[in-house]
Amino acid sequence: MATNRTFTMIKPDAVESGYVGAIIKQIEEAGFRIVAIKKTQLTTERSGQFYAVHRERPFYNDLRTYMASGPIIPMILEKENAVADFRKLIGATNPAQAEEGTIRKLYAKSMEANAIHGSDSDENAEIESNFFFATTEQY
Ligand code: GTP
Ligand code: MG
């Protein structure tokens, strides 16, 4: 995958609250092109696999249960400097500390139910994209 891509998913709290359209509008207005998109729901087991890097953390069990609690919208996005620019657009993990105008400031409910995910490196963007979208498909 080119390094101008990142992976995101709109999390269950934001889908449940009806924020999908507003969030996608903000993503597109920030200059990201949607390369791939779908609606799906994780099992607790797959949710745990996705966040396996956090398996030693105290919040791991709650996190994987929460991420499997409802539908999500995974997407592959394209833009110059995609990973860093997207992390800036979504804001800090804890919405109370997120900058004004960021997606988490506008739409997140809590540290856990924080509306949206953004990959933290080019390498993880590729791994996470392959977790949700078949690698043989052309986008
Ligand atoms: P992602 O883009 O979702 O990976 O978030 P992040 O990179 O900003 O944060 P991190 O990877 O450290 O944590 C992954 C997810 O775990 C967060 O987005 C939250 O949903 C959840 N999380 C992180 N820290 C806490 C915490 O202290 N308590 C709880 N309940 N959830 C947490
Ligand atoms: Mg993370």
Side-chain angles (χ1 to χ4, degrees):
M1 187 194 290
T3 55
N4 59 348
R5 286 184 176 185
T6 191
F7 172 81
T8 182
M9 53 189 169
I10 303 178
K11 296 185 179 184
D13 60 294
V15 175
E16 170 67 24
S17 299
Y19 295 147
V20 171
I23 290 173
I24 289 176
K25 184 167 191 276
Q26 189 168 352
I27 290 170
E28 289 189 315
E29 284 177 355
F32 292 87
R33 191 179 73 83
I34 297 171
V35 176
I37 182 170
K38 66 182 169 185
K39 186 175 189 183
T40 187
Q41 185 164 350
L42 292 167
T43 60
T44 309
E45 191 186 354
R46 269 187 51 87
S47 166
Q49 285 165 9
F50 185 87
Y51 278 115
V53 61
H54 295 308
R55 68 182 163 270
E56 306 300 333
R57 310 278 284 277
F59 58 82
Y60 176 68
N61 260 329
D62 285 347
L63 175 61
R64 67 184 188 142
T65 302
Y66 156 67
M67 282 303 299
S69 68
I72 57 172
I73 312 283
M75 290 180 267
I76 300 172
L77 302 175
E78 199 164 65
K79 182 188 178 298
E80 235 174 81
N81 202 28
V83 167
D85 284 2
F86 194 73
R87 297 281 292 192
K88 206 164 175 207
L89 181 69
I90 68 177
T93 309
N94 183 349
Q97 286 159 14
E99 268 184 55
E100 290 299 327
T102 58
I103 292 174
R104 282 170 169 165
K105 183 70 174 187
L106 289 166
Y107 301 111
K109 291 190 163 52
S110 67
M111 177 86 154
E112 179 177 82
N114 62 359
I116 194 159
H117 164 80
S119 301
D120 59 12
S121 66
D122 290 340
E123 188 192 2
N124 283 335
E126 179 155 15
I127 292 168
E128 292 168 0
S129 297
N130 292 339
F131 188 92
F132 282 97
F133 297 97
T135 51
T136 51
E137 286 177 56
Q138 298 294 311
Y139 295 111

mmCIF file of all heavy atoms in Angstrom, residues 54 87 117 120, ligand 2:
data_model
loop_
_atom_site.group_PDB
_atom_site.id
_atom_site.type_symbol
_atom_site.label_atom_id
_atom_site.label_comp_id
_atom_site.label_asym_id
_atom_site.label_seq_id
_atom_site.Cartn_x
_atom_site.Cartn_y
_atom_site.Cartn_z
ATOM 1 N N HIS A 54 -3.262 -4.067 22.848
ATOM 2 C CA HIS A 54 -3.652 -3.555 24.170
ATOM 3 C C HIS A 54 -4.035 -4.667 25.151
ATOM 4 O O HIS A 54 -4.610 -4.389 26.202
ATOM 5 C CB HIS A 54 -4.841 -2.597 24.041
ATOM 6 C CG HIS A 54 -4.529 -1.345 23.278
ATOM 7 N ND1 HIS A 54 -3.453 -0.544 23.577
ATOM 8 C CD2 HIS A 54 -5.157 -0.744 22.229
ATOM 9 C CE1 HIS A 54 -3.431 0.489 22.741
ATOM 10 N NE2 HIS A 54 -4.430 0.376 21.908
ATOM 11 N N ARG A 87 -4.815 11.676 12.207
ATOM 12 C CA ARG A 87 -4.749 11.709 13.681
ATOM 13 C C ARG A 87 -5.034 13.124 14.189
ATOM 14 O O ARG A 87 -5.656 13.309 15.229
ATOM 15 C CB ARG A 87 -3.374 11.245 14.172
ATOM 16 C CG ARG A 87 -3.027 9.799 13.837
ATOM 17 C CD ARG A 87 -3.674 8.799 14.741
ATOM 18 N NE ARG A 87 -3.176 8.844 16.091
ATOM 19 C CZ ARG A 87 -3.433 7.914 17.006
ATOM 20 N NH1 ARG A 87 -4.188 6.864 16.703
ATOM 21 N NH2 ARG A 87 -2.966 8.013 18.221
ATOM 22 N N HIS A 117 -11.602 5.632 15.060
ATOM 23 C CA HIS A 117 -10.228 5.120 15.151
ATOM 24 C C HIS A 117 -9.390 5.731 14.040
ATOM 25 O O HIS A 117 -9.897 6.018 12.960
ATOM 26 C CB HIS A 117 -10.252 3.593 14.985
ATOM 27 C CG HIS A 117 -8.912 2.993 14.681
ATOM 28 N ND1 HIS A 117 -7.972 2.764 15.643
ATOM 29 C CD2 HIS A 117 -8.350 2.606 13.513
ATOM 30 C CE1 HIS A 117 -6.883 2.247 15.078
ATOM 31 N NE2 HIS A 117 -7.094 2.140 13.783
ATOM 32 N N ASP A 120 -1.976 4.524 13.621
ATOM 33 C CA ASP A 120 -0.896 5.340 14.189
ATOM 34 C C ASP A 120 0.411 5.256 13.400
ATOM 35 O O ASP A 120 1.405 5.883 13.781
ATOM 36 C CB ASP A 120 -0.672 4.980 15.666
ATOM 37 C CG ASP A 120 -0.308 3.520 15.863
ATOM 38 O OD1 ASP A 120 -0.004 2.828 14.862
ATOM 39 O OD2 ASP A 120 -0.329 3.063 17.015
HETATM 40 MG MG MG B 2 -4.350 3.462 18.647
#
